[in-house]
Amino acid sequence: YSLQSNQALQASAWVGSKVIIPGNFIKLEKDHISSIGAEILETSCEITIFLYAKSSELVRTVLLEQVEHGYYEFKWDGLNQQGARRPIEIYTVIIQCIKEKKISHLKTLIAANVNGVNLGDKKGDAIRLSIADVGEIRLDQVMGMGRL
């Protein structure tokens, strides 16, 4: 078997499953609990999470005290800053790390459903996954399986 054949077989097994990929949005679901992850490269830092509606309106700001190095998962209850429930839609998320007055943006991760696999038209084309609410991504962008 070729490497591409093995990758195609692996990718096809993921259809209907969730994969963890880079992304900066949360899809607020029916149960009004949504998650996004972030990779914290500093030893620790103060985290600020900004959630924006499709209209670019700032919906919620969450401040967290010192968060340690590693992966962090943020669960959003679907409420805005005033405590009102937000409608089901996709929200943009920006996560900042503040350490010693230096601000850096964190790489954010989402868990999304794999809807299908595109093997490409030509030999050597990268295998692509069709991801719900995202579109197509390369297979090598997948960082893991399952929920955050």
Side-chain angles (χ1 to χ4, degrees):
Y1 288 98
S2 71
L3 176 61
Q4 190 164 12
S5 295
N6 286 338
Q7 289 175 336
L9 187 59
Q10 177 186 27
S12 65
W14 291 349
V15 174
S17 300
K18 283 191 181 286
V19 291
I20 299 169
I21 59 173
N24 67 336
F25 68 88
I26 286 180
K27 181 178 182 185
L28 191 57
E29 301 286 352
K30 286 178 246 166
D31 63 5
H32 292 288
I33 300 291
S34 297
S35 299
I36 193 162
E39 184 176 9
I40 301 168
L41 300 175
E42 300 286 339
T43 51
S44 70
C45 64
E46 187 177 293
I47 298 290
T48 306
I49 302 168
F50 301 95
L51 293 134
Y52 293 90
K54 285 191 291 189
S55 65
S56 299
E57 165 198 9
L58 179 60
V59 171
R60 180 113 180 241
T61 302
V62 179
L63 301 172
L64 303 171
E65 294 299 319
Q66 295 298 312
V67 177
E68 298 300 316
H69 170 82
Y71 286 96
Y72 174 78
E73 180 183 3
F74 169 68
K75 290 187 182 284
W76 181 39
D77 57 10
L79 302 179
N80 67 11
Q81 207 68 36
Q82 294 75 35
R85 179 98 28 221
R86 292 294 302 181
I88 295 172
E89 67 177 61
I90 294 175
Y91 295 84
T92 300
V93 180
I94 297 173
I95 303 179
Q96 293 180 339
C97 171
I98 304 169
K99 182 172 180 127
E100 299 171 2
K101 299 184 183 179
K102 179 183 167 202
I103 297 174
S104 59
H105 291 271
L106 299 180
K107 178 180 183 178
T108 52
L109 307 170
I110 61 171
N113 288 324
V114 177
N115 290 338
V117 178
N118 180 348
L119 301 178
D121 297 330
K122 299 177 285 209
K123 185 177 179 179
D125 279 354
I127 295 172
R128 300 181 75 73
L129 300 176
S130 174
I131 306 292
D133 301 315
V134 174
E136 284 196 355
I137 65 162
R138 292 185 325 274
L139 185 63
D140 64 1
Q141 291 177 282
V142 174
M143 301 182 74
M145 295 291 300
R147 297 205 162 278
L148 289 171

